[in-house]
Structure formats: structure tokens, C-alpha cells
Amino acid sequence: MRKLTEYSFFFIVFTLLFSCNTNKKQDEGETAGASTIDRPINWNNEIIYHVMQRSFYDSNGDLHGDLNGFTEKLDYLKELGVTTILFTPLYESGFYHNYFPTNYENIDQEYGTKEDYLNFVKAVHDKGLKFLMDMETQYAQSGHIWFDDSYKNPDSEYADFIYYADSLNRYPEQIFMPPKSPMHEFEAWPGDKYHIVLLDVNHARVKQWMIDFYSYWVDPNKDGNFDDGVDGFRIDHIMDDLDNKGIFTNMYQDFWRPIFEACKDINPNIFVLGEQSNWNEYGDQMIVKSGADAAFNFPLRFAIAGEEGTHDMYIDPSSKGVTMEPNRIHSVVLENLAKFSDSTFTVNFLENHDTSRWASVVNGNEDQKRSAAILNLLLPGVPSIYYGQELGVTGQKHEWGSDANHIPVREAFPWTSNFEDSGNALWYKDGGAVWDVSFWQSEAIQQFSLEHQKNDPNSLWNHYKKLIKIRTNYDSFRLGDYVPLYENLEGVIAFQRAYGNEKAIVMININNDPIEVQMDTESYEEVYGQGAEVSKAKILLAPFGHYVALNKSD
């Protein structure tokens, strides 16, 4: 473990200065619920639940998770304590993940109808929850009329929508391919093949179409009520120079900002979360230039995993899990606080639909699952939990030469341990190698299932539920400042968060040896501790023990 370093002096000076101003800047704002225009929403009060809906709950027996099934399970999200739902795309596509559309305007029939969608959104808001729609609107696939009708047909009424490098429309610009390449076929699970081409996002007609398209979802019936509208958008792979081709440049300002401004003209509380394309970056410049509200905290995810930052995050798990460096984590948190204001946000996560499951990153290390959960939920930032993370399900990307590579990190949520039980959305069952490596085929499914974990008070699910409740109940964990503690004590990550008259501390032993921490504990009340032996002047933390305590002063 890294001991006291050159960063420490910076931490002390910075945090003393920062903590003096943080509470003045923070506004509690709205908590969970449908968007209103009466007062701004402080998204630090939210907890995002990120879901691939195809894998969540099947309501009609076709093994595909669907909108009606999700509506049935909204009470589960309320029970867990999350406040905002983030889907993967809903529009029609030949790809199971729906990221490349055949029709932007239609809901994938396996998810349901437009009526099912509108009923779902209204039900979400009735439950006091929010909904974010995922979008990747820079591409189209073969099967989309814009491409099918305009390919080799310059007179097509849709020719403006696809970027062609020649006047005869023989060479559309393709994703991942050099200019004027022969048409490439991308394989989609379970074996179909499609072309993927770039829209002409420089064209005024495309820009206006997208403004209208995004605006529609904000208030579908245009009654100004927003009970049927999204609370925001996630923008997948947002770039200023699309695919670094040098063709579509200054997109933040010229393409994205007008879309976001149009949506916020309708509902000022629309929240835009951009997935910055370079995962080494904090995303603050993307926010400034595009007008988005938030970015993903990739630097923190790398720091918690003890990995060097890269453009992607396909990490091979070690046999002993990860090695956390507390000072690196502190440094990233403080950098985030410096880069993001009281009206822009960073979203903290451990896993998502593109990354290995955290349980696989730590090679099933139960202690590191729990330690990371504490950081995910109690550090500054907006927490995001990827469905099944709260159960510790496993999964890693494979190399099968198609989009099947990611199915192991997008598996069905295990409501029960029997894959034959109704509701379990095993749309990929009996799908060859994908099914062969499924956690549903392992003995671990008995421990992963929700029905098992809800009945075990010591389960990972109950650990997440407890942490979510702590974050919800105490302002300091949502809105408070941040001061690193015990930076020169190897093997401990500790920090203080304070808001108003409320002060909280968190200590985690992140190694396999017990650690003694000198501390006056009399003014603190334990909120959540495991493996923490507390006496008047010290705390003895067992290996991977943790101590969360509160001090409310006048």
C-alpha cells in the first residue's frame, strides 16, 4: 500500500479550503420523483439503477424482459431504495442490445408497444421514481429505411440522412472502418449480419430531425405535465469528433448542445448524462462544451480497481482481487470536486453493460465486493448500481467475434435460482457458448438469487440495502464535503463527510490484517459497522472491517 505521499499536503490544503465553501454551494433540491419545474433537482440526492431491460423480468413467457414486466417489479426498486431507472436503448434494432437502430421512433416489439412504454413511464412517476432513456443516435444499421433506400440511390428522399463519401452513394461512412471501405458485415447474436453506417450529423435536416426526436420523449402528449415524459437521457459514446474521423467535428457545440437546449426549453429539469468516449477523462470539458449535466466517473472506477486508466475497461481479474490505493482514491475524489460544480455531476459506478462484473473483477472476493459497495454509495457523486450488482453476480467479456461477447455481463437478473421459473428473462438460453459459461449453469446461482439473499440478513443484497438507506437518511453522504483521514495509515481508506451540523466518518480496512486506528470515538454514534471493535480512544478493524459513524453537533 502507498503510504503518506506528496499528495498529502495537497489534500490537506485543498480540503480545508474546499470544505469551507461546499455547504454554501450545495442545495438539497428535489429528492426522488417526477420532474417539476418549481426548483432545480440536485442529482446528488439520486441513486441510479442501470438496467438492460431485456434481461430484467419477462411478463409474457417469451424469455425477453419487457416493459410490462419492469412495471410489475417497480416495487422491488422501491424496496431496494434506488430512485432513478436507466435503461439501455428501447428503439427497434437487429442487435439484442438495441444500440444500432432500424427505426428510431418505434419501441422494440419484444419490449412492448408505445402504449406499454407510456404506461411504464407514468407508473415510474407514480412510484416517485425517475426514468432516463439511453440514446446512441449517430448511426443506423442496414434495415433502416434511411440507409436501405439511399444506398446507391442519390435521388432517395433519405439521402441527406446518411453520410456518403461519393456522389453516387456507393460509399457510406462506416463505423470502425476507413473511408470508402467495402461494405462490412457486423455479426449480431445469434448470427445475423448487418452494416452499420454513420448519419450525416453535419446536415441541417438531420440536426433538426434529432431535435424533434429528443423533444418528443420529453413530453409525448405535449400537455406540459411530463408524467409521460423522460426525466433525462444518457448519451452513449458522446464525442466531439465522431469516431475520430475528422468528418464530424465540434459536435458538442454544433450537434448536441442544440438538442439539449431544446429539451430543457420544454422541461428545464431534463438531466443529460454523457458517457465520455475517452474513459481516461473526467468528462467535465464535455459537459462545458455540450451543455450536458453529468459524466461517468471512470477515473474513480479505475482507482477503486487499482488499475491504470485506459480507453476501455476490460480488466482481467487477479487471483486475489484488486489492490486499492487510498491516496489515489482520495486524489480522484478531490479532483472531481474541483471539476464539477453544484449544478454538474459525476456518476460513480463499479460496473455497467460494457465492463466486467465487479464480482468477477475481484474474483469473487466477498470482502472486496462489500468494501467497494461502501465507496460506490458513500463517496461524493451520484451512485449508479448495475442490475444484479447488489447480488454479486459474475460475468466477463469473451471473444466470440460478435456482440455476443458482452452477453456474460448482461445476463438475466436471478429472481430465483431455477432458470425454468417464470419471469427469469433468459432470452439467450441454449445459445451455445454464451449459455455454456452462464452463471445460471453454475452452483453459484443458489447464492446469487434474490429469493436466497433476501432471506439472509448477512447477504450482499442486505449490505447494499443498508448502505442505500444510510445515504438516503443522512444529508452528509449526499451533499457533504469530503476530507481524507488517516492518509499515512497504510491499509485504511478513511474520510469525513459533513453537511450543516451533521458530520460522518467512514473507515474501511482494505487488507487481510487487522488495523488499529487511534480515534476519540465518544462523540460518534455507530451507524453501520462490521468487524469494528470500538473503545474510547481507538477502533480495531478486523480484515476488511468497516466503521460508519455519525457525529451531530450543535
Side-chain angles (χ1 to χ4, degrees):
M1 295 293 171
R2 190 192 307 179
K3 297 186 179 180
L4 189 63
T5 70
E6 65 273 16
Y7 296 121
S8 299
F9 177 77
F10 168 77
F11 291 159
I12 294 168
V13 174
F14 179 89
T15 52
L16 287 174
L17 292 172
F18 185 85
S19 62
C20 293
N21 296 314
T22 301
N23 290 345
K24 296 178 182 178
K25 291 171 64 179
Q26 293 283 7
D27 175 15
E28 289 190 42
E30 290 288 324
T31 53
S35 293
T36 69
I37 60 174
D38 296 328
R39 55 189 301 204
I41 294 172
N42 187 332
W43 278 80
N44 286 313
N45 287 313
E46 305 299 321
I47 301 173
I48 296 170
Y49 194 74
H50 185 188
V51 191
M52 183 174 169
Q53 61 277 3
R54 189 179 299 279
S55 296
F56 198 62
Y57 190 78
D58 167 29
S59 70
N60 59 11
D62 68 354
L63 299 183
H64 291 266
D66 48 55
L67 289 161
N68 290 334
F70 211 100
T71 302
E72 285 183 42
K73 290 299 183 179
L74 289 176
D75 284 338
Y76 168 70
L77 303 190
K78 294 290 289 184
E79 180 183 13
L80 183 60
V82 298
T83 66
T84 298
I85 300 160
L86 168 61
F87 276 0
T88 48
L90 285 162
Y91 41 65
E92 285 183 353
S93 173
F95 293 86
Y96 73 85
H97 45 73
N98 298 91
Y99 273 99
F100 305 112
T102 52
N103 189 312
Y104 279 109
E105 297 172 290
N106 290 350
I107 301 292
D108 187 322
Q109 294 180 5
E110 289 171 330
Y111 297 144
T113 64
K114 180 67 73 63
E115 182 180 6
D116 293 333
Y117 166 78
L118 294 172
N119 289 337
F120 159 76
V121 175
K122 291 177 181 178
V124 167
H125 291 155
D126 286 344
K127 294 286 185 182
L129 301 168
K130 297 183 176 69
F131 172 63
L132 304 179
M133 178 178 275
D134 196 4
M135 292 287 202
E136 186 171 46
T137 53
Q138 306 94 303
Y139 309 100
Q141 67 162 90
S142 48
H144 195 300
I145 192 170
W146 294 349
F147 172 71
D148 289 357
D149 193 71
S150 66
Y151 181 51
K152 297 182 179 180
N153 179 19
D155 296 327
S156 167
E157 63 178 301
Y158 305 110
D160 295 339
F161 283 89
I162 306 299
Y163 182 86
Y164 290 96
D166 67 306
S167 61
L168 298 178
N169 289 12
R170 295 173 301 176
Y171 296 109
E173 195 67 29
Q174 301 177 73
I175 192 171
F176 304 135
M177 304 298 292
K180 292 192 174 181
S181 294
M183 293 305 297
H184 182 78
E185 291 186 324
F186 293 89
E187 185 171 341
W189 188 88
D192 296 326
K193 295 183 178 181
Y194 302 100
H195 307 304
I196 304 173
V197 299
L198 276 64
L199 304 187
D200 188 353
V201 294
N202 287 335
H203 200 287
R205 186 179 176 193
V206 174
K207 291 178 180 179
Q208 187 59 53
W209 194 95
M210 287 299 173
I211 288 172
D212 296 340
F213 173 65
Y214 277 79
S215 297
Y216 167 79
W217 299 105
V218 176
D219 189 11
N221 64 7
K222 298 183 179 180
D223 66 353
N225 185 18
F226 310 135
D227 63 335
D228 59 347
V230 300
D231 296 286
F233 301 98
R234 173 190 180 273
I235 308 300
D236 189 79
H237 197 62
I238 187 170
M239 299 185 73
D240 204 33
D241 178 358
L242 182 56
D243 291 349
N244 297 311
K245 289 176 176 286
I247 301 172
F248 310 105
T249 57
N250 203 35
M251 282 189 64
Y252 290 155
Q253 180 70 35
D254 295 342
F255 183 77
W256 290 115
R257 181 174 284 275
I259 292 172
F260 302 159
E261 288 178 347
C263 291
K264 292 185 180 192
D265 282 346
I266 299 169
N267 179 358
N269 275 331
I270 285 294
F271 176 73
V272 178
L273 170 57
E275 183 209 20
Q276 63 270 38
S277 61
N278 185 344
W279 291 358
N280 277 319
E281 297 177 349
Y282 285 86
D284 54 307
Q285 290 304 304
M286 175 272 294
I287 289 174
V288 170
K289 294 177 181 178
S290 71
D293 302 290
F296 284 96
N297 202 343
F298 287 100
L300 180 63
R301 168 58 177 73
F302 286 126
I304 293 174
E307 295 286 341
E308 292 301 316
T310 63
H311 277 73
D312 52 40
M313 200 185 298
Y314 306 129
I315 300 169
D316 294 326
S318 69
S319 60
K320 296 181 180 179
V322 302
T323 301
M324 294 182 188
E325 296 183 35
N327 283 337
R328 180 181 173 192
I329 293 171
H330 291 318
S331 179
V332 170
V333 172
L334 293 172
E335 187 71 14
N336 273 294
L337 291 172
K339 288 179 178 294
F340 295 88
S341 70
D342 55 350
S343 60
T344 59
F345 307 91
T346 185
V347 173
N348 300 340
F349 68 100
L350 298 176
E351 55 184 80
N352 62 32
H353 64 294
D354 289 329
T355 72
S356 293
R357 290 285 193 170
W358 183 256
S360 290
V361 171
V362 301
N363 201 40
N365 186 312
E366 189 68 25
D367 294 320
Q368 291 191 325
K369 294 181 202 176
R370 292 171 182 266
S371 297
I374 296 171
L375 300 176
N376 190 184
L377 284 155
L378 301 186
L379 286 174
V382 183
S384 178
I385 298 169
Y386 184 51
Y387 78 106
Q389 175 184 324
E390 71 273 30
L391 302 174
V393 301
T394 53
Q396 298 177 66
K397 176 179 175 286
H398 286 253
E399 293 296 339
W400 291 312
S402 75
D403 62 350
N405 294 349
H406 285 86
I407 292 177
V409 302
R410 302 168 179 176
E411 289 209 60
F413 186 91
W415 299 98
T416 69
S417 59
N418 185 351
F419 60 74
E420 299 290 351
D421 288 346
S422 63
N424 290 324
L426 286 142
W427 49 273
Y428 53 92
K429 187 168 72 73
D430 301 324
V434 169
W435 182 238
D436 292 341
V437 302
S438 171
F439 65 70
W440 284 88
Q441 298 272 66
S442 71
E443 293 182 2
I445 186 59
Q446 302 298 327
Q447 283 70 48
F448 289 161
S449 74
L450 179 64
E451 66 176 355
H452 169 79
Q453 294 205 24
K454 288 182 75 170
N455 292 323
D456 178 1
N458 296 315
S459 69
L460 185 64
W461 184 81
N462 275 299
H463 179 63
Y464 267 91
K465 188 178 178 184
K466 177 74 171 180
L467 291 168
I468 290 170
K469 186 175 182 180
I470 290 170
R471 182 182 179 88
T472 301
N473 287 349
Y474 299 111
D475 294 343
S476 53
F477 288 119
R478 303 190 315 278
L479 306 169
D481 60 16
Y482 181 86
V483 178
L485 302 174
Y486 301 101
E487 298 167 77
N488 60 344
L489 185 58
E490 187 174 353
V492 170
I493 179 166
F495 54 89
Q496 173 186 286
R497 303 205 60 193
Y499 183 80
N501 68 342
E502 183 181 281
K503 184 184 296 183
I505 61 169
V506 175
M507 295 183 188
I508 311 169
N509 182 353
I510 57 174
N511 65 29
N512 289 305
D513 299 313
I515 293 178
E516 185 176 284
V517 182
Q518 301 299 317
M519 174 185 168
D520 180 4
T521 63
E522 288 193 313
S523 60
Y524 284 88
E525 178 182 356
E526 183 176 308
V527 175
Y528 185 29
Q530 289 185 345
E533 184 180 320
V534 182
S535 60
K536 181 178 179 180
K538 66 181 180 181
I539 300 172
L540 182 63
L541 290 173
F544 292 98
H546 67 261
Y547 177 72
V548 181
L550 200 69
N551 178 356
K552 289 192 174 181
S553 57
D554 293 332

